[in-house]
Amino acid sequence: MSSNTEHITCLIIGSGPAGYTAAIYAARADLKPVMYTGLTPGGQLTETTEVDNFPGYPKGITGPELMEDLKAQAERFGTQVRFGLVTKADLKATPKRLWIDETTEITADTVIISTGASAKWLGIENETRLRMNAGGVSACAVCDGFFFKNQDVAIVGAGDTAAEEATYLSKLCKKVYMIVRRGEGEMRASKAMQHRVRNTANIEILWDSETADILGKEAVEGAIIKNNKTGTSREIKITGFFVAIGHKPNTDIFKGQLTMDELGYLQIIPGSTKTNIEGVFAVGDCADKTYRQAVTAAGSGCMGALDAERYLGAAALH
Ligand code: NDP
């Protein structure tokens, strides 16, 4: 560590709703937070269109606008928001040592990790195109299902998320095709969730099925579904295409230091944002595989900043 290594009281890694809310609270508590945004400043919400379920916006707001507002609010109280990626960390050191973009070393008294999770996608060209131009491809039924009220949609996946989101969509949409790549009896979702989707009249499960293509120029108009047992294909007419094949928490750089579950979600002490290392807090989707909403992420970001403030206060007394 060189003598001119920058030292930060409260470092926030990641710039989604959790990170910005942590920044607002930390800045107002005079912790002089510095945030490194990661490669997608604003996080997952910058890839969605309308956000209708974030409290305080009765007319809705676009994801990018919401993130700009949160950034402006964090900066108003003095948060330094910097574009950059934390590529390495030694969290057990005192102070904690971290490296930005593999080159610049910094040290920190407290670290709030809000690196989020990334939705997995099928990787089909038209999926990417129609997702990017807000054409009806989404990885969040709770966020975007409302736009497909009384329409026919499809959802890919067979885990608890897919089953839960198919059920959610079935209440809004006319018909929901659930595209499952395995056969009947091999569905991954819990028995209770399976029972629910199988017994919902407007959910049709397409077993042994994979998405060969998504159709539509400006917006989704259909999909080509291939049966991987028989090799036959069929076209379904839909206006919305949901992907629920899992998320990957962005926590790889903390492996071996922070306790995480088998999927990589950071484990925190229940009722707090504390990780297994003192002074390191985890907030938002990187530590939450259950709720994954902007507002729950924001709430946990607030908790992270309060936990960091208390930690620093207690440390100052020693
Ligand atoms: P999972 O990893 O459990 O399931 C992913 C699903 O997507 C699997 O059915 C998998 O198929 C399928 N899949 C993966 N890749 C592809 C692909 N390329 N094409 C088609 N299908 C694909 O993820 P979930 O998000 O569903 O759940 C994550 C965790 O969160 C789980 O532990 C789950 O139990 C938990 N959870 C709990 C909830 C609750 O308790 N209320 C709600 C939601 C999630 P295959 O089975 O063939 O591998």
Side-chain angles (χ1 to χ4, degrees):
M1 195 187 319
S2 80
S3 57
N4 51 14
T5 302
E6 183 187 12
H7 182 73
I8 292 166
T9 305
C10 178
L11 174 71
I12 299 172
I13 311 175
S15 53
Y20 278 128
T21 309
I24 292 164
Y25 274 78
R28 285 171 56 85
D30 211 18
L31 304 188
K32 303 191 172 32
V34 173
M35 171 191 283
Y36 279 93
T37 60
L39 291 184
T40 313
Q44 290 181 76
L45 277 188
T46 57
E47 293 175 2
T48 62
T49 44
E50 289 294 316
V51 179
D52 275 342
N53 54 9
F54 199 88
Y57 293 96
K59 296 187 176 127
I61 185 166
T62 69
E65 279 174 318
L66 174 61
M67 298 321 297
E68 278 304 314
D69 281 355
L70 284 171
K71 177 171 183 269
Q73 196 173 352
E75 286 179 328
R76 184 176 142 216
F77 299 110
T79 305
Q80 281 190 47
V81 179
R82 301 176 185 169
F83 182 76
L85 193 66
V86 174
T87 47
K88 195 171 128 190
D90 178 1
L91 299 174
K92 290 185 177 155
T94 308
K96 294 150 203 339
R97 299 171 69 191
L98 300 104
W99 286 261
I100 312 300
D101 298 328
E102 285 174 7
T103 49
T104 315
E105 183 184 346
I106 54 170
T107 58
D109 291 324
T110 58
V111 177
I112 299 178
I113 300 171
S114 51
T115 47
S118 305
K120 293 186 194 162
W121 298 96
L122 297 174
I124 300 171
E125 207 178 315
N126 281 334
E127 172 195 50
T128 315
R129 185 177 58 78
L130 289 162
R131 171 164 73 93
M132 292 305 184
N133 74 355
V137 171
S138 165
C140 180
V142 178
C143 316
D144 298 325
F146 186 78
F147 302 115
F148 303 95
K149 226 172 170 181
N150 299 323
Q151 299 172 38
D152 290 357
V153 300
I155 184 161
V156 185
D160 282 332
T161 303
E164 203 168 81
E165 299 210 337
T167 308
Y168 180 87
L169 289 169
S170 71
K171 293 178 186 140
L172 294 168
C173 303
K174 201 157 88 206
K175 173 157 191 164
V176 181
Y177 294 98
M178 191 167 178
I179 304 163
V180 176
R181 67 180 175 184
R182 292 179 196 255
E184 206 164 350
E186 296 173 306
M187 198 170 180
R188 190 188 298 210
S190 60
K191 288 280 177 274
M193 290 305 297
Q194 286 191 40
H195 183 76
R196 197 174 301 170
V197 289
R198 284 164 186 264
N199 288 289
T200 302
N202 63 342
I203 297 178
E204 180 181 340
I205 305 177
L206 307 180
W207 302 104
D208 304 308
S209 292
E210 290 176 36
T211 310
D213 207 355
I214 303 169
L215 309 173
K217 207 160 174 238
E218 300 300 323
V220 173
E221 290 170 11
I224 306 285
I225 308 299
K226 188 173 174 193
N227 185 301
N228 57 28
K229 284 258 166 69
T230 62
T232 54
S233 293
R234 66 178 277 199
E235 184 181 327
I236 54 171
K237 296 257 179 253
I238 47 168
T239 50
F241 187 89
F242 291 86
V243 180
I245 59 173
H247 282 75
K248 188 183 179 317
N250 303 315
T251 56
D252 284 354
I253 61 163
F254 308 115
K255 270 192 184 138
Q257 300 183 61
L258 293 180
T259 309
M260 42 185 90
D261 71 9
E262 68 289 354
L263 299 172
Y265 286 93
L266 298 177
Q267 296 200 318
I268 46 181
I269 296 172
S272 81
T273 63
K274 293 176 188 167
T275 66
N276 57 305
I277 298 182
E278 286 207 354
V280 179
F281 308 94
V283 300
D285 286 12
C286 66
D288 170 21
K289 69 179 174 201
T290 310
Y291 299 105
R292 295 197 300 243
Q293 299 301 301
V295 67
T296 52
S300 78
C302 158
M303 291 165 63
L306 295 176
D307 285 343
E309 188 189 355
R310 283 177 196 146
Y311 169 81
L312 288 166
L317 293 177
H318 288 298

